[in-house]
Amino acid sequence: MSLKTLDPTQSEAPAFVLGVRVDRVSQRQALACMEQMVTRRRTNGEPCQQVVTVNTEFIMAAQRDTIFRQCINQAALVVADGMGVVWATKYLREPAPERITGIDTLIELAKLCAAKGYRIYLLGAAPGVAEQARARLESLAPGLQVAGTYAGSPAPEEEEEIIGRVREAKADILCVAYGAPAQELWIRRNIVRLPVAIAMGVGGAYDFLAGRQRRAPKTMQRMGLEWLYRLYREPWRIKRMLAIPQFMVLVLLKGRNKL
Ligand code: UDP
């Protein structure tokens, strides 16, 4: 994690899994870090900070895509989204304390925003989904101020308009649901002109919040088997999920290499 974002005395050096950075923070520390980012922007006008929730698919994609890898490694905060990533950090003896999923982070962030009066903007997903996610977040975090919602698309020709909308909405936090790596690269491309404290990719989080996708039962989540449930609901993901065993083999073979 960049020293600017969290008291260095409280944070461990990041882990590197197959050359991809993973900050060794708990959910609570990650939220404290994000709270600092908003405070710093509000008081000192600091530039937008990128938050990435890294899962095994990200790490495998980053093996082939140098720009994506740089994007993750240069983010302000990179959290371990998934048991595969937590397992790898433990195997490498640089353990991340816990799994921090995009959707849980979004819900906890919404509660923080409600408590502190921060404004959140929900960008991405299919038309209408972000509005439904907004309603659900407002019920989970009473008092939440959602600055706006917009589907848009990650196409470069739409960037100007999207940024204008976010600016007008006076948001503190921008959540982007365009799937990885498009959402992370969109944020990276635009980071210097994003008029918010934090921009974070949230993948399919609005689909879950809107009830269009069902999350795995709690026991499966606790056992780290959320991926298996997702595969059962969406078998077309098999190709993407083959990244998981490939990831494990690679970590076992050359996990300690730092690129
Ligand atoms: N998405 C979008 N525009 C695009 C591509 C994707 O709005 O051009 C949305 C899609 O509707 C979904 C999210 O991005 O809500 C990506 O979800 P996915 O489940 O693929 O992401 P994951 O959670 O696997 O990263």
Side-chain angles (χ1 to χ4, degrees):
M1 179 181 329
S2 76
L3 298 184
K4 259 178 28 191
T5 51
L6 191 72
D7 180 355
T9 57
Q10 291 177 19
S11 60
E12 315 258 10
F16 278 84
V17 179
L18 300 174
V20 176
R21 193 179 112 220
V22 180
D23 291 324
R24 299 166 60 193
V25 290
S26 63
Q27 168 104 272
R28 196 184 53 78
Q29 285 175 308
L31 280 170
C33 184
M34 288 191 260
E35 187 176 346
Q36 277 186 15
M37 291 174 189
V38 178
T39 308
R40 288 197 168 126
R41 174 144 184 123
R42 283 188 165 193
T43 52
N44 306 328
E46 288 215 356
C48 178
Q49 308 284 320
Q50 180 164 15
V51 176
V52 183
T53 67
V54 157
N55 64 26
T56 51
E57 288 175 25
F58 282 48
I59 294 177
M60 290 308 286
Q63 303 307 295
R64 299 179 295 272
D65 184 341
T66 317
I67 307 280
F68 185 38
R69 188 170 72 223
Q70 283 172 356
C71 171
I72 300 170
N73 289 354
Q74 291 168 5
L77 177 66
V78 183
V79 299
D81 177 357
M83 292 311 288
V85 179
V86 173
W87 165 80
T89 61
K90 286 187 176 152
Y91 174 75
L92 299 172
R93 301 205 187 89
E94 297 173 329
E98 60 184 338
R99 183 178 74 133
I100 306 176
T101 67
I103 181 152
D104 291 332
T105 307
L106 179 53
I107 293 170
E108 291 310 311
L109 199 54
K111 290 178 183 165
L112 176 75
C113 289
K116 302 279 177 179
Y118 303 158
R119 292 162 63 77
I120 195 164
Y121 195 102
L122 306 180
L123 174 67
V129 176
E131 282 75 21
Q132 290 175 334
R134 169 194 197 143
R136 177 89 179 112
L137 279 179
E138 284 170 346
S139 75
L140 291 168
L144 175 68
Q145 297 175 55
V146 176
T149 61
Y150 183 56
S153 97
E157 53 274 21
E158 284 197 40
E159 286 169 2
E160 209 53 55
E161 193 205 330
I162 291 174
I163 292 167
R165 283 173 181 258
V166 177
R167 182 173 298 110
E168 217 153 88
K170 298 197 182 352
D172 296 292
I173 296 166
L174 174 64
C175 297
V176 184
Y178 287 143
Q183 61 198 14
E184 279 71 29
L185 298 176
W186 188 94
I187 293 169
R188 181 187 164 95
R189 267 201 315 277
N190 292 295
I191 194 127
V192 292
R193 56 186 186 142
L194 285 180
V196 288
I198 299 171
M200 176 172 83
V202 293
Y206 308 161
D207 298 304
F208 285 107
L209 286 166
R212 298 194 174 207
Q213 294 290 347
R214 209 179 305 158
R215 268 193 102 177
K218 283 267 183 284
T219 33
M220 284 186 94
Q221 287 183 35
R222 272 196 297 272
M223 289 165 75
L225 293 177
E226 205 157 0
W227 62 272
L228 186 60
Y229 184 80
R230 215 162 176 200
L231 186 58
Y232 157 71
R233 305 266 319 171
E234 301 168 86
W236 58 266
R237 284 186 182 269
I238 184 75
K239 205 160 159 232
R240 278 172 63 177
M241 285 195 179
L242 283 175
I244 298 172
Q246 283 170 3
F247 168 80
M248 293 177 80
V249 169
L250 265 188
V251 171
L252 291 170
L253 289 178
K254 57 171 206 169
R256 284 167 216 272
N257 290 354
K258 292 187 183 178
L259 300 181

